[in-house]
Amino acid sequence: MFDLLLKNGTIVTDTDTFRGDIAVRDGKIVAVGGQMEEESTRVIDLTGKHILPGVIDGHIHCMCPFMGCQGPNDFYKTSIAGAFGGVTMFIDFTNTEVGKSVYDATQEKLELMEMSAVDYALHAKVVEGNEQTMADLRKLVDMGIPTFKMFMTYRKDGIMCDDATMIKVFKVAKKIGALPMLHCESNALAEDAFDACEARGDLSWRAFAEAKPGLCEAEAFTRAYYYAKSVGCPIMAVHTTVKEALDVARKAHEEDFPLYVETCPHYLTLFKDRYDAEDGYLAICSPPLRTPKDAADVWDALKDGTISITGSDDCTYTREEKSRFLKKDGQGKWIQDFRAVVNGNSGIETRLPILLSEGVGKGHITLNQLVALTSTNIAKIYGCYPRKGCIQAGADADFAIVDLDKTWTLSKDTLHNNLDYCLFEGMEVKGMPVMTIAHGKVIVENGAFTGSRGEGKFVSRRLDPEILKRYSALAPGVRSR
Ligand code: DUC
Ligand code: ZN
Ligand code: ZN
């Protein structure tokens, strides 16, 4: 007797696509294969639908006070929005501050996350390199938190790690089997450019993008890689947007160095002309939006395997929050000052449909690559595979069911977070998550959320030593491309 039987769907993994049934008992997959006729409490006929492993969002910032703002979504709301986008697990970051231990920040954040309707895990954010921090990092690995993010910029916002701290963390991470994650933007270049903008009296939204060009990202990316290489420590470079950086990754991969790369859908579909609009402040995020040519380079890197994962970098702030520290002129127009705008945008719900439509639909990536980029590789790199990220007996019964033919329009009115705008407003997409299943329970069906607050559980992670050692452990075929 099964609890759930998914019949007649097309099963998609990172390597295969095949017709078959999936049987679930006690929240786990118990069988995957041909026609199954055993009795089941619930049987769902998925003829014409594709069954993907539940989407994992390894990069969100929820309930994260930043630049004087808090954001309108708590973890319950964010998990609901995610569920509508096929997300069955996400990973957030500790709200570490200078003078507050990363261990205490971990306990606080885990408490906030308990309301989530889907499974969750945590990365530690490191902002200083004292003895206490280094001791805490060891404790965190034992608690199943083996990934540590460092910001190479935002000095004035108090969360930047200086180079010496980065190197220290790399050394500790190497010893304890952890993976440092880097936000790569050169603080020196950014601060200098911001000062120059102020001096010439141009703090427009557009000037923001020009002040942090690809070079600002590539310099930090290259520096992080050189430090990592010199220490012999693997790293993950998040939200990567430019070819200069991707070419550095390609070189690292030729040497089989474990430099992993993430990008986000907004760098593939939104461009810096958004900053020319009066409400361009809504699109202020870091790194900034770039050009269609940059996006084409990023698609190439998704296709050739240089980029291993995608994340949303979901970091939501309302219109009021985005403009909280701005003033208007006599004509009611914004007096533009990009420094006063909190950085971040939403994406947990839109990541899968955008990658289905713009990526698979337009031939940039295959459906199997999409599965790797939205689930399997994330589980592998962040240490929760094969419990997560795959469709095989023994794994958690987490699925995103998609209808590849369904077209719809992205809009704040149809998405499920508490935002009063959507940067993708009006974008037509083809391919839609129509049902989400977490631990064998249907949590989104027929356009309704059927999950429950607090049903998500903390996922303790342990990194695969092979993936920490060599890039080819993740992507065996990729180096011979
Ligand atoms: N970038 C953003 O846009 N928001 C939050 C943090 C970040 O790195
Ligand atoms: Zn970042
Ligand atoms: Zn981020």
Side-chain angles (χ1 to χ4, degrees):
M1 179 80 176
F2 300 133
D3 298 332
L4 177 67
L5 187 54
L6 304 179
K7 288 201 68 72
N8 307 318
T10 300
I11 299 166
V12 190
T13 71
D14 62 329
T15 51
D16 295 304
T17 306
F18 54 97
R19 288 288 297 277
D21 296 351
I22 300 173
V24 174
R25 194 184 297 124
D26 297 329
K28 298 274 183 191
I29 299 172
V30 289
V32 180
Q35 295 262 320
M36 295 181 210
E37 301 304 338
E38 209 172 318
E39 253 186 71
S40 176
T41 306
R42 182 166 181 195
V43 179
I44 304 177
D45 182 1
L46 293 173
T47 303
K49 307 287 188 297
H50 286 72
I51 308 174
L52 280 49
V55 170
I56 302 171
D57 198 335
H59 188 162
I60 71 164
H61 305 269
C62 180
M63 303 182 84
C64 170
F66 188 43
M67 297 173 82
C69 302
Q70 171 73 37
N73 296 296
D74 63 15
F75 278 104
Y76 181 45
K77 193 69 184 171
T78 297
S79 64
I80 293 173
F84 278 98
V87 172
T88 54
M89 174 182 168
F90 58 76
I91 317 182
D92 202 297
F93 301 83
T94 57
N95 298 341
T96 321
E97 292 161 19
V98 172
K100 177 200 228 171
S101 93
V102 65
Y103 181 78
D104 289 347
T106 300
Q107 299 295 358
E108 282 172 25
K109 194 83 185 213
L110 286 175
E111 231 170 86
L112 295 174
M113 297 174 92
E114 282 174 8
M115 66 178 83
S116 173
V118 302
D119 284 355
Y120 56 88
L122 197 56
H123 305 292
K125 181 165 83 194
V126 178
V127 298
E128 56 191 332
N130 53 28
E131 292 285 302
Q132 177 70 52
T133 303
M134 299 305 147
D136 282 357
L137 295 183
R138 290 166 203 268
K139 272 206 252 176
L140 294 188
V141 170
D142 293 338
M143 286 169 63
I145 301 174
T147 40
F148 313 143
K149 179 170 180 183
M150 287 167 282
F151 287 87
M152 296 174 74
T153 189
Y154 292 128
R155 183 181 69 88
K156 290 183 177 168
D157 299 289
I159 56 171
M160 186 185 91
C161 263
D162 60 28
D163 289 10
T165 302
M166 259 171 68
I167 292 169
K168 233 191 223 176
V169 171
F170 286 3
K171 285 185 173 169
V172 170
K174 185 184 172 183
K175 269 200 202 125
I176 63 180
L179 177 69
M181 303 163 69
L182 284 311
H183 173 122
C184 298
E185 286 188 298
S186 162
N187 193 71
L189 289 175
E191 275 190 16
D192 181 61
F194 283 16
D195 289 347
C197 288
E198 184 178 29
R200 69 170 187 274
D202 180 6
L203 293 164
S204 61
W205 323 138
R206 164 62 81 148
F208 172 71
E210 310 300 348
K212 298 210 283 184
L215 204 64
C216 174
E217 180 180 328
E219 187 282 323
F221 187 105
T222 310
R223 183 158 33 102
Y225 166 52
Y226 281 1
Y227 289 159
K229 194 171 160 175
S230 110
V231 171
C233 173
I235 54 168
M236 164 65 71
V238 296
H239 46 52
T240 304
T241 70
V242 291
K243 186 167 186 302
E244 289 92 332
L246 295 165
D247 283 344
V248 171
R250 289 186 174 100
K251 183 125 194 339
H253 297 162
E254 269 166 28
E255 296 170 9
D256 211 4
F257 188 86
L259 161 56
Y260 296 102
V261 183
E262 177 212 65
T263 196
C264 314
H266 45 288
Y267 298 114
L268 297 162
T269 49
L270 300 174
F271 308 115
K272 65 181 181 184
D273 58 358
R274 294 298 289 255
Y275 299 125
D276 296 333
E278 169 73 0
D279 69 354
Y281 64 97
L282 296 175
I284 286 192
C285 59
S286 286
L289 300 180
R290 305 221 186 269
T291 65
K293 163 72 173 77
D294 290 315
D297 292 336
V298 176
W299 281 120
D300 287 346
L302 287 163
K303 191 177 193 149
D304 74 16
T306 303
I307 296 177
S308 301
I309 64 171
T310 59
S312 69
D313 205 1
D314 189 269
C315 183
T316 57
Y317 299 103
T318 61
R319 274 178 186 276
E320 182 282 316
E321 288 179 301
K322 292 286 260 188
S323 59
R324 182 171 289 173
F325 304 106
L326 296 171
K327 293 194 174 55
K328 288 194 166 171
D329 66 16
Q331 276 85 50
K333 288 191 149 201
W334 293 115
I335 300 170
Q336 300 194 6
D337 183 348
F338 62 73
R339 300 168 306 178
V341 181
V342 62
N343 286 214
N345 50 37
S346 71
I348 193 169
E349 186 173 355
T350 47
R351 171 165 151 257
L352 176 61
I354 287 175
L355 290 172
L356 279 173
S357 185
E358 298 296 306
V360 179
K362 295 191 175 165
H364 293 295
I365 51 172
T366 65
L367 198 50
N368 305 103
Q369 283 178 307
L370 174 136
V371 166
L373 289 161
T374 57
S375 187
T376 310
N377 284 354
I378 301 166
K380 284 183 175 174
I381 295 172
Y382 290 149
C384 50
Y385 183 88
R387 174 177 167 190
K388 301 288 187 187
C390 60
I391 298 180
Q392 62 188 47
D396 285 354
D398 296 345
F399 309 104
I401 314 296
V402 303
D403 182 337
L404 291 181
D405 296 320
K406 195 155 182 159
T407 53
W408 56 305
T409 306
L410 301 181
S411 167
K412 69 173 169 36
D413 300 326
T414 50
L415 296 174
H416 296 84
N417 63 22
N418 281 332
L419 273 196
D420 46 1
Y421 64 96
C422 168
L423 290 182
F424 302 104
E425 189 72 38
M427 181 174 166
E428 299 279 339
V429 289
K430 185 171 178 199
M432 182 178 183
V434 289
M435 180 183 285
T436 303
I437 299 173
H439 290 284
K441 181 180 166 188
V442 176
I443 60 168
V444 169
E445 184 174 24
N446 300 323
F449 177 68
T450 52
S452 309
R453 186 184 177 96
E455 220 162 25
K457 295 283 169 286
F458 172 69
V459 177
S460 172
R461 298 173 295 123
R462 178 182 287 273
L463 304 185
D464 176 344
E466 288 305 309
I467 283 183
L468 294 178
K469 240 185 267 158
R470 47 193 186 90
Y471 173 73
S472 57
L474 176 75
V478 167
R479 285 177 63 232
S480 56
R481 65 176 172 255

